Amino acid sequence: MSRYIVIRILQAFLALIGITVLVFILVRASGDPTHLIITPTSTPEEIANLKKQLGLDKSYPEQFVVFITGLARGEFGDSIIKRKPAAEMIKEALPNTIKLGLPAFFIAMALALALGVLAAAKRDSIYDAGVKLVAVLGQALPGFWVAIMAMLLFSVRLRLLPVAGYGTLKHYVLPVGTMVFFLLPGMMRLVRSSMLDVLDAEYIKLARIKGLSETKIIWKHALRNALIGPLTTAGMIFASLITGAVITEIIFNWPGMGRLLVEAVAARDFPVVQAITMLVAAMVLGMNIIVDIAYAFVDPQIRYQKS
Amino acid sequence: MIKKQTKKVLEVEGLRTSFFTRKGEVKAVDGISFFVREGETLGLVGESGCGKTVTGLSLLRLLPEPAGRILGGKIYLDGINLLALSKKEMRAVRGKMISMILQDPMTSLNPVYTVGEQIAEPVRQHQGLRGENAREAVIAALRLLHIPSPELRLRDYPFQLSGGMRQRVVGAIAMSCNPRLLIADEPTTALDATIQAQYLALFKEVQKKTNVAIIFITHDFGVVARMCHRVAVMYAGKIVETAPTEVIFKQPRHPYTKALINSVPRLDRKVERLYSIEGQPPSLMNLPPGCRFCPRCPEAKEICREQEPAEKQVGPEHSVFCWQVS
């Protein structure tokens, strides 16, 4: 098991290096950031000066060396626009995103688990129909539209909640709610179908033959077997949430990672884009490893194979 | 071989079970009656789809819902009508009074729990044992099924055991609460021939020790000869003949039983090709009005097509449903 984890960590590290190179090339393929800073009256000297200042006058290989040596020292470079370290900007934005992402993640997962299991256990009942309806609505309605409609209803019409921004507990309700609305349907359907597969298994029949209660059969015998598929998806959702919910943050003007990323991309702010992308990559890779370890807890067969 | 002196553990009277599908009602079990005594094994024999397994599941009231329903009849276990029990009372019967062994040991154990945990569940549920006491009961069950070094095995997961060993574990689960009745639904079909013989011998021994009544569901007359005291032959949802095992082999009376026994391959006779019964069993959704075997029966007469045959007693504990038997 531990050897397996070490191998997975090494693999993740190699992948991270690959992603670093790719990101470096791709952001530079997007265009020249100085074009967005200069004014029509800027002289060629001023432009050259600006490029020199930003280190963009050097060749790509030279820029890459600067980038890599910076990384080795834990520096991501300074933001081209804000002229302050990219790492510092992330440090400001990340907690806000986490404050939004964590509650949304846990509320959505808890609801998905409860409703998905309920729908599977009471298949073709009114509960199942309700769950299906929520799933269809959630997957068919675009998230941004739902967010705006919720804003219109609760903030503009009913004046119960603030329209946007950041501060009090009330500010969390709409963005977290919107995110739960995005996340819930897919996860809920996954839990439901995974549970339905397991409930057909012979060992569930045997559990009934033993005289176990339906509660034990569903929550003990079925759920643990049904968890593997949803676990992978939950890991990926978690990684993506922590690194920023772009649409939600923009709509609700939330000072988090998603908004920072969009602004940085629009301004061709290379160091910031690079830093955020690497953080996202590291999160996804890290979550993959955590999910793999979680598998081993859920399924003994995986635990024993890899020891 | 008949154990007349002992008490009847199970008595089934006119059991009717149907499945309600979109296409209509499937009469899987259509009015069958039989009994099993203490320490006795009754073979329930017939081809696939004749209602053997549905009979077994009906006794436990574990039909796939909502399609499967018991429409009528009585199931007495030690004199108590199981069909009159509440759902909760019935749950207390399952695993404690009646157990069942399923066909495939590779899929009937939960892959994520240890063998010990899976045997401990009914012990905790029905006998209220905890901790060390539960552990001892689990080890006793593993010992009963001759599982070597039970103290170590109970920590194993199903995937660490062979098919034969897993089926013994399923047997240990079934026997863990010392049930009155055990339903074995083709428990050896998925096993190798040598393991099969071992398993059958093991169950004879378990029965001697515990005096459990067994219903052995099978389509294999070799297994019947080795395991059963009495046999009930099923055809298209009905029992057509019941007799002590040696009588079934020597003097089968129903044309279907005769045909079944004729179609068993034998080593002591040289034949060009195996005997097989012409035609197909009738659709359980659209049954013929008379005898169900009539369309395939070589002895069929006019009356067979028109009226269902009544039960005829033809010997001690030997009854047949056939117009042509007098």
Side-chain angles (χ1 to χ4, degrees):
Chain A
M1 187 70 208
S2 52
R3 186 169 156 256
Y4 166 72
I5 295 170
V6 170
I7 291 171
R8 289 305 313 265
I9 291 173
L10 286 176
Q11 281 173 345
F13 189 71
L14 285 177
L16 196 59
I17 292 173
I19 290 164
T20 310
V21 176
L22 209 62
V23 168
F24 179 86
I25 295 167
L26 286 178
V27 285
R28 276 158 183 79
S30 72
D32 187 340
T34 53
H35 291 176
L36 300 172
I37 299 170
I38 54 172
T39 56
T41 56
S42 300
T43 61
E45 289 82 43
E46 278 173 338
I47 297 171
N49 238 342
L50 184 66
K51 284 201 175 183
K52 198 171 178 188
Q53 219 180 346
L54 298 172
L56 297 171
D57 56 335
K58 296 189 182 103
S59 69
Y60 283 171
E62 279 173 309
Q63 286 185 34
F64 189 67
V65 171
V66 171
F67 173 54
I68 286 290
T69 46
L71 274 187
R73 275 175 288 158
E75 288 164 15
F76 290 93
D78 287 357
S79 159
I80 293 173
I81 311 299
K82 296 268 170 72
R83 304 290 168 97
K84 62 178 183 179
E88 208 169 283
M89 294 170 72
I90 289 177
K91 252 181 232 160
E92 284 165 19
L94 190 59
N96 295 339
T97 287
I98 290 175
K99 280 183 214 161
L100 203 61
L102 272 190
F105 177 79
F106 284 109
I107 293 171
M109 293 305 118
L111 277 176
L113 206 62
L115 295 174
V117 168
L118 179 76
K122 305 210 181 281
R123 188 183 190 167
D124 296 329
S125 68
I126 183 99
Y127 303 105
D128 194 16
V131 162
K132 272 186 203 152
L133 184 72
V134 172
V136 168
L137 285 181
Q139 291 190 317
L141 301 176
F144 69 88
W145 182 82
V146 172
I148 292 168
M149 287 303 127
M151 213 186 253
L152 195 65
L153 179 67
F154 294 108
S155 310
V156 180
R157 286 279 164 80
L158 301 174
R159 299 189 175 275
L160 290 172
L161 298 164
V163 173
Y166 175 76
T168 66
L169 203 60
K170 275 190 172 177
H171 284 98
Y172 283 86
V173 177
L174 282 183
V176 169
T178 311
M179 283 167 80
V180 168
F181 190 78
F182 293 150
L183 299 174
L184 182 62
M187 197 64 193
M188 194 168 68
R189 284 185 41 179
L190 197 62
V191 171
R192 178 183 175 272
S193 64
S194 186
M195 275 296 281
L196 282 179
D197 280 348
V198 170
L199 284 172
D200 270 342
E202 288 288 291
Y203 55 79
I204 296 298
K205 206 182 196 181
L206 191 73
R208 294 211 167 94
I209 290 169
K210 285 188 204 172
L212 300 183
S213 67
E214 210 52 24
T215 317
K216 266 220 175 102
I217 287 166
I218 283 164
W219 294 100
K220 181 178 174 184
H221 282 267
L223 185 61
R224 193 155 159 197
N225 281 286
L227 228 44
I228 300 246
L231 208 57
T232 318
T233 315
M236 292 302 99
I237 289 175
F238 188 81
S240 72
L241 278 188
I242 293 310
T243 45
V246 175
I247 294 171
T248 316
E249 286 182 9
I250 301 240
I251 291 176
F252 293 102
N253 198 24
W254 192 270
M257 296 281 286
R259 211 179 71 182
L260 183 63
L261 178 64
V262 172
E263 285 167 3
V265 168
R268 293 184 193 140
D269 198 345
F270 294 170
V272 178
V273 175
Q274 281 166 180
I276 295 179
T277 317
M278 286 190 62
L279 185 72
V280 173
M283 281 304 276
V284 170
L285 293 168
M287 266 329 282
N288 264 325
I289 292 172
I290 290 171
V291 165
D292 278 339
I293 296 170
Y295 279 164
F297 276 99
V298 173
D299 187 347
Q301 197 150 357
I302 295 172
R303 189 155 71 228
Y304 280 72
Q305 264 169 10
K306 279 152 187 173
S307 59
Chain B
M1 271 183 97
I2 307 171
K3 306 193 161 211
K4 267 188 185 161
Q5 64 285 6
T6 54
K7 198 180 151 206
K8 287 176 185 173
V9 172
L10 178 83
E11 283 189 84
V12 175
E13 287 172 15
L15 177 68
R16 289 194 299 126
T17 301
S18 282
F19 288 89
F20 293 88
T21 66
R22 264 176 216 172
K23 287 183 196 158
E25 181 185 354
V26 179
K27 294 181 175 175
V29 174
D30 196 12
I32 64 169
S33 304
F34 60 94
F35 65 87
V36 198
R37 295 189 182 93
E38 248 172 12
E40 183 189 53
T41 304
L42 173 76
L44 206 53
V45 192
E47 57 200 299
S48 310
C50 71
K52 299 172 302 211
T53 300
V54 176
T55 304
L57 290 174
S58 299
L59 300 182
L60 282 160
R61 283 175 51 190
L62 273 181
L63 295 160
E65 283 181 52
R69 238 180 294 156
I70 297 175
L71 298 178
K74 290 188 173 91
I75 301 170
Y76 292 104
L77 183 79
D78 284 329
I80 298 161
N81 185 4
L82 298 183
L83 297 181
L85 296 184
S86 72
K87 276 189 181 176
K88 205 179 158 200
E89 287 168 328
M90 194 56 215
R91 225 170 27 234
V93 169
R94 285 183 208 126
K96 187 184 180 202
M97 307 294 286
I98 308 179
S99 299
M100 186 163 176
I101 296 175
L102 301 172
Q103 191 167 345
D104 186 0
M106 305 312 272
T107 55
S108 52
L109 291 170
N110 194 326
V112 302
Y113 292 106
T114 60
V115 160
E117 171 61 21
Q118 295 189 57
I119 305 173
E121 277 182 329
V123 169
R124 287 197 296 252
Q125 176 92 14
H126 300 299
Q127 302 185 318
L129 298 179
R130 294 286 181 276
E132 195 53 37
N133 292 335
R135 202 179 108 95
E136 268 164 28
V138 170
I139 289 173
L142 288 167
R143 284 232 169 83
L144 182 68
L145 273 289
H146 290 308
I147 294 167
S149 37
E151 294 84 355
L152 297 175
R153 286 295 79 73
L154 55 81
R155 272 183 258 147
D156 283 349
Y157 286 93
F159 65 86
Q160 295 171 298
L161 303 175
S162 68
M165 216 34 91
R166 287 190 208 191
Q167 197 63 316
R168 287 188 189 203
V169 169
V170 176
I173 291 173
M175 295 309 297
S176 62
C177 293
N178 204 3
R180 297 282 290 150
L181 174 70
L182 174 69
I183 304 161
D185 187 3
E186 311 218 17
T188 56
T189 310
L191 303 179
D192 293 342
T194 48
I195 306 290
Q196 213 173 66
Q198 271 180 27
Y199 199 75
L200 294 177
L202 185 63
F203 257 89
K204 280 191 126 168
E205 192 196 314
V206 166
Q207 188 176 45
K208 273 209 188 91
K209 279 186 193 161
T210 60
N211 216 19
V212 65
I214 301 179
I215 294 177
F216 212 100
I217 297 172
T218 182
H219 57 256
D220 183 345
F221 267 101
V223 172
V224 169
R226 213 176 299 171
M227 288 300 291
C228 305
H229 301 102
R230 287 187 307 118
V231 187
V233 180
M234 278 190 85
Y235 184 79
K238 287 233 181 225
I239 289 179
V240 294
E241 182 164 7
T242 312
T245 305
E246 65 272 21
V247 176
I248 272 283
F249 282 103
K250 282 183 201 142
Q251 300 155 324
R253 300 297 296 271
H254 196 283
Y256 179 61
T257 317
K258 290 183 203 165
L260 268 188
I261 287 170
N262 267 332
S263 60
V264 177
R266 291 180 62 155
L267 291 174
D268 57 347
R269 272 188 224 152
K270 220 176 160 184
V271 285
E272 281 295 303
R273 46 181 304 171
L274 284 172
Y275 176 82
S276 69
I277 307 169
E278 292 285 310
Q280 294 289 322
S283 156
L284 296 173
M285 236 181 277
N286 196 6
L287 290 163
C291 169
R292 282 163 200 200
F293 188 59
C294 168
R296 301 167 80 184
C297 183
E299 300 169 31
K301 300 263 159 55
E302 196 54 39
I303 188 166
C304 303
R305 262 179 281 280
E306 285 158 6
Q307 277 182 56
E308 277 195 59
E311 183 169 12
K312 262 178 217 141
Q313 207 67 36
V314 291
E317 308 244 305
H318 188 178
S319 63
V320 189
F321 290 79
C322 178
W323 287 118
Q324 305 311 319
V325 171
S326 50

